Amino acid sequence: MKFPSMAEADGRTLGDEEVAAAERVIRSGMLNSVWGTEARALEREIAQVYGSRHAITCSSGTAALHLSVVAAAPDPGDEIITTPITDFGTVAPILAQNAVPVFADVDASDGNLDPAAVAGLIGPRTKAIMAVHLFGAPARVHELRALADEHGLVLIEDCAQAWLAELPGGRLAGTVGQVGCLSLQQWKHITCGDGGVAITDDDGLAGRMRLFSDKGWDRAAGRSHAAFGLNYRMTELQAAVARAQLAKLPGVVAARRRTAARLLEALRDLPGVRLPRPEGHAWWLFPVVCPDGDAPELAAHLAAAGIPARAGYLAEPLNRAPVWEAAVYGASRYPLDGYAPNACPEAERLVDRTLLIIDWNENYTGDHVDLIAQEMMKFRARS
Ligand SMILES: *Cc1c(COP(=O)(O)O)cnc(C)c1O
């Protein structure tokens, strides 16, 4: 059975609407968002979906996260607490601003930051907390925001995998921290190839992020540069395609929730697995925890049956990545002189032994789900 893939047309929602959007931009003659209308319109539409005062489009999710770190304004050498189970796009912006990532351990049930572990690492140099809603499961950001407020820190929410994820109480993931970050990269819920958005209710932070994304150029002040910045602008082509995709987002998430509920129901009584909690989940992937440590064997069994499943998600948790032993700028290790990342035993066990991920897609049918369930039960019956 062929599983729809986010790398192919059968697993994407790209159609006539996106073709028309790209054509509209090309025929207009204006492909740059400084003078065009599409990126500004996308910002209004995303701000409306999220109920946020500001949305700032940019070239990637990593760029959006870099903007969020700029907004948090660490001094060189300040620390930002984050999770070791995420895309490197969460962590690279910390280094780009000469700040130091501090890895806190995760909750073994879903791989999201454990607020107690975060609390234990807050020190005099801590400037911000970057939480990730991993695989689409809502992280405990209400607790993290309380912690951040208590210590005067900025909370950043990385929602690259969690479009329309809902928090307990009903708010959307991304609206509890001072800044929320979204990605439109090829493998996310909706895509324009690459693209990112930062959302915030804070006028000051929004201004700082917008300035940084446009070379520090305050367009109202003539050809005058107010602050350090880069060119992180989204193009009109990206924005127009993203607008067409945004209109399809509720359907994408609803379809993923429907088939995920079917798999949860089918696996309800399967021994040796901990199923994800469905509340608020956006189902970027379908993660399963195998507490006995046989996720690699189960992943191999599923893959052999043609199911897109893998163990661990990462080759190693980011606290054990080779990058922490390498030079950062030229031959210099700054700002990592004397740096050694913390051990994160729960994250390490998840990545090494207990975490299984199954690719998820809005175009899965009941037959796809039933095959996954059947093969998982077959593996358990044998082992
Ligand atoms: C994809 C992703 C990013 C980076 O986004 P890009 O658009 O690929 O730069 C950051 N964080 C998480 C959790 C992601 O999944």
Side-chain angles (χ1 to χ4, degrees), residues 163 182-186 188 190-197 234 242:
W163 283 91
L182 298 155
S183 168
L184 291 154
Q185 185 256 16
Q186 178 73 40
K188 312 304 186 188
I190 55 173
T191 188
C192 59
D194 265 313
V197 187
M234 180 180 276

Side-chain angles (χ1 to χ4, degrees), residues 60-62 65 86-87 89-90 132 158 160-161 183 185 188 194-195:
S60 70
T62 305
L65 287 153
T86 183
D87 181 271
T90 314
V132 176
D158 179 345
Q161 305 180 355
S183 168
Q185 185 256 16
K188 312 304 186 188
D194 265 313

Side-chain angles (χ1 to χ4, degrees), residues 44 55 57 105-106 133 138 170 177 191 194 207 249 254 267 312 373-374 378:
R44 285 193 298 276
T57 54
D105 210 349
V106 301
H133 301 279
T191 188
D194 265 313
L249 177 63
L267 298 179
Q374 198 184 315
K378 218 191 267 181

Side-chain angles (χ1 to χ4, degrees), residues 125-382:
R125 299 225 58 179
T126 308
K127 191 72 185 185
I129 300 166
M130 291 175 95
V132 176
H133 301 279
L134 190 66
F135 310 138
R140 289 156 68 183
V141 286
H142 288 299
E143 288 164 75
L144 292 172
R145 178 66 198 251
L147 206 52
D149 287 349
E150 185 188 333
H151 295 274
L153 312 176
V154 174
L155 175 65
I156 296 162
E157 289 179 74
D158 179 345
C159 309
Q161 305 180 355
W163 283 91
L164 301 188
E166 281 164 30
L167 304 169
R171 281 172 74 166
L172 289 182
T175 62
V176 167
Q178 281 92 336
V179 184
C181 297
L182 298 155
S183 168
L184 291 154
Q185 185 256 16
Q186 178 73 40
W187 266 267
K188 312 304 186 188
H189 288 83
I190 55 173
T191 188
C192 59
D194 265 313
V197 187
I199 59 173
T200 185
D201 285 335
D202 186 299
D203 297 348
L205 299 187
R208 213 180 292 169
M209 291 193 285
R210 198 173 282 289
L211 205 57
F212 191 93
S213 72
D214 193 17
K215 297 182 275 192
W217 189 343
D218 176 0
R219 299 270 168 180
R223 196 152 188 140
S224 168
H225 296 271
F228 167 54
L230 298 169
N231 178 353
Y232 275 168
R233 297 185 306 251
M234 180 180 276
T235 72
E236 290 288 273
L237 283 166
Q238 287 166 294
V241 171
R243 291 179 68 195
Q245 286 276 281
L246 185 65
K248 300 177 184 178
L249 177 63
V252 166
V253 175
R256 286 170 179 251
R257 285 179 172 152
R258 217 165 27 243
T259 46
R262 182 178 176 120
L263 185 57
L264 285 170
E265 176 60 27
L267 298 179
R268 206 176 46 176
D269 300 320
L270 188 67
V273 297
R274 278 176 81 173
L275 298 175
R277 292 180 293 272
E279 292 80 19
H281 211 300
W283 304 106
W284 182 59
L285 300 173
F286 192 104
V288 173
V289 176
C290 305
D292 301 333
D294 58 359
E297 292 76 16
L298 176 52
H301 172 86
L302 295 177
I307 294 163
R310 274 152 291 130
Y313 177 58
L314 299 167
E316 67 273 318
L318 292 181
N319 62 309
R320 290 203 326 232
V323 57
W324 311 119
E325 279 141 46
V328 184
Y329 300 99
S332 167
R333 295 249 315 138
Y334 186 83
L336 299 181
D337 310 280
Y339 176 75
N342 302 312
C344 297
E346 298 292 355
E348 290 165 35
R349 183 157 169 76
L350 278 166
V351 171
D352 293 344
R353 296 301 323 170
T354 60
L355 177 63
L356 170 82
I357 53 175
I358 304 166
D359 286 353
W360 214 244
N361 196 278
E362 55 274 20
N363 294 333
Y364 280 7
T365 63
D367 289 345
H368 292 109
V369 174
D370 295 347
L371 180 66
I372 296 168
Q374 198 184 315
E375 289 299 330
M376 287 185 67
M377 290 189 263
K378 218 191 267 181
F379 176 82
R380 272 284 166 263
R382 264 191 227 148

